[in-house]
Amino acid sequence: MLKGKSAVITGGVRGIGFGIAGEFAKQGADLMLCYRSNDEAAEKALAQLKQYGTKVILAKGDVCDEKFAEESIKKAAEAFGRVDILVNNAGITNDKLILRMSKDDFTKVIDTNLVGTFNFTKYAAAHMSRKKSGRIINLSSVCGVRGNAGQANYSASKAGVIGLTLSNAKELGRRNITVNAIAPGFIDTDMTMALSEKQRELVLGQISLGRYGSVQDVAKTAAFLASDDAAYITGQVIGVDGGIIM
Ligand code: NAD
């Protein structure tokens, strides 16, 4: 249970981020949902989460902007008294073969997925260090572990997230802050709906459990890592992938 705890979730108004928000709120956590631009999705998320009766606030901005990260953590700490959990979930893809990938295609994905994770971690870790307690959960990907053709930018960003996770786990452990990554396989969200039917079928054939993952599969794992039950787990990359990694 997460009763009495508060969490900041980046990209928290749709997809996996919103799934995590729902699970956290259901378990009693107060939430700040950070989002980039989709006001309609943000308002809808807010309305849906009301049923759980916890505090939910929104913060609009780009995770690539360090100032936005600093202000979001400050605002959440003021609203809730403290920030116990950070979920670095915001992420993008921009798939192309390396021969067709521009430097801009590469750096935009790195900026959002990796630098964005760094930005929020830096300010959350400073706050959690003062409180001598915290949980940081980073969304990596199976692509960050084994690579994927057409996703050099994305895979590099997600491998970077793993390096960041491990280093931060080593640095912050003595301050009672755990840092873990979740590496989902293929989860049914807007991100994967962008793939063609043929690509989706090809992936399905590689999943041992014979189905795509749901946002709930990831949300339950995030809730466990955020809970007191996971107090002795740090520096781990937890696959939530139906066995696709094998
Ligand atoms: P999604 O596209 O449905 O949602 C991504 C969210 O991130 C959106 O709310 C978007 O607004 C937000 N976002 C993107 N760029 C942002 C920015 N610069 N600033 C602030 N917010 C920004 O994606 P999803 O499928 O829910 O993925 C969530 C996370 O899980 C991502 O990090 C993704 O890489 C990772 N992941 C997803 C899958 C999958 O199969 N869906 C698999 C592995 C990893």
Side-chain angles (χ1 to χ4, degrees):
M1 290 304 283
L2 301 173
K3 198 158 175 45
K5 302 208 188 281
S6 61
V8 172
I9 305 173
T10 68
V13 304
R14 72 164 207 236
I16 292 173
F18 181 61
I20 294 172
E23 187 59 34
F24 280 20
K26 198 158 102 186
Q27 296 199 18
D30 293 326
L31 304 175
M32 169 184 270
L33 307 183
C34 301
Y35 72 105
R36 185 176 37 182
S37 55
N38 193 339
D39 295 325
E40 202 185 320
E43 289 305 325
K44 204 169 142 201
L46 207 57
Q48 284 185 325
L49 293 171
K50 263 211 174 104
Q51 58 176 309
Y52 300 114
T54 64
K55 279 192 215 163
V56 185
I57 57 173
L58 296 170
K60 184 178 180 180
D62 190 330
V63 293
C64 305
D65 175 6
E66 187 177 352
K67 201 91 206 126
F68 173 59
E70 182 180 12
E71 280 163 10
S72 299
I73 298 296
K74 192 164 164 241
K75 200 169 132 192
E78 280 165 8
F80 308 133
R82 55 189 291 155
V83 176
D84 301 293
I85 306 154
L86 168 67
V87 183
N88 283 304
N89 164 80
I92 56 167
T93 52
N94 186 3
D95 301 352
K96 275 172 200 161
L97 294 171
I98 190 73
L99 298 180
R100 298 209 181 112
M101 191 178 283
S102 69
K103 188 178 168 201
D104 196 46
D105 292 330
F106 189 80
T107 52
K108 267 211 177 110
V109 173
I110 299 286
D111 264 358
T112 304
N113 300 2
L114 181 56
V115 180
T117 298
F118 162 80
N119 286 339
F120 270 77
T121 298
K122 179 174 167 173
Y123 292 98
H127 170 83
M128 290 169 179
S129 291
R130 288 193 291 277
K131 304 280 179 192
K132 292 261 178 301
S133 149
R135 294 274 198 276
I136 299 174
I137 300 161
N138 297 326
L139 268 293
S140 178
S141 165
V142 80
C143 301
V145 180
R146 64 171 197 185
N148 198 24
Q151 290 196 308
N153 47 6
Y154 183 74
S155 302
S157 75
K158 294 300 186 180
V161 165
I162 292 174
L164 190 64
T165 301
L166 300 178
S167 301
N168 289 338
K170 286 188 174 178
E171 280 183 35
L172 300 170
R174 295 293 166 107
R175 293 157 195 236
N176 193 28
I177 300 167
T178 68
V179 190
N180 292 290
I182 297 174
F186 188 105
I187 310 299
D188 238 336
T189 66
D190 289 350
M191 186 177 269
T192 41
M193 278 312 281
L195 298 175
S196 70
E197 198 47 47
K198 199 171 155 216
Q199 284 170 311
R200 288 170 62 87
E201 267 173 30
L202 209 67
V203 174
L204 190 58
Q206 298 168 25
I207 304 174
S208 309
L209 291 178
R211 66 167 176 90
Y212 302 123
S214 69
V215 295
Q216 268 309 298
D217 292 321
V218 182
K220 293 273 185 194
T221 307
F224 168 66
L225 289 172
S227 75
D228 292 343
D229 291 339
Y232 203 56
I233 298 175
T234 196
Q236 301 301 309
V237 182
I238 317 274
V240 181
D241 60 20
I244 199 173
I245 196 81
M246 291 184 287

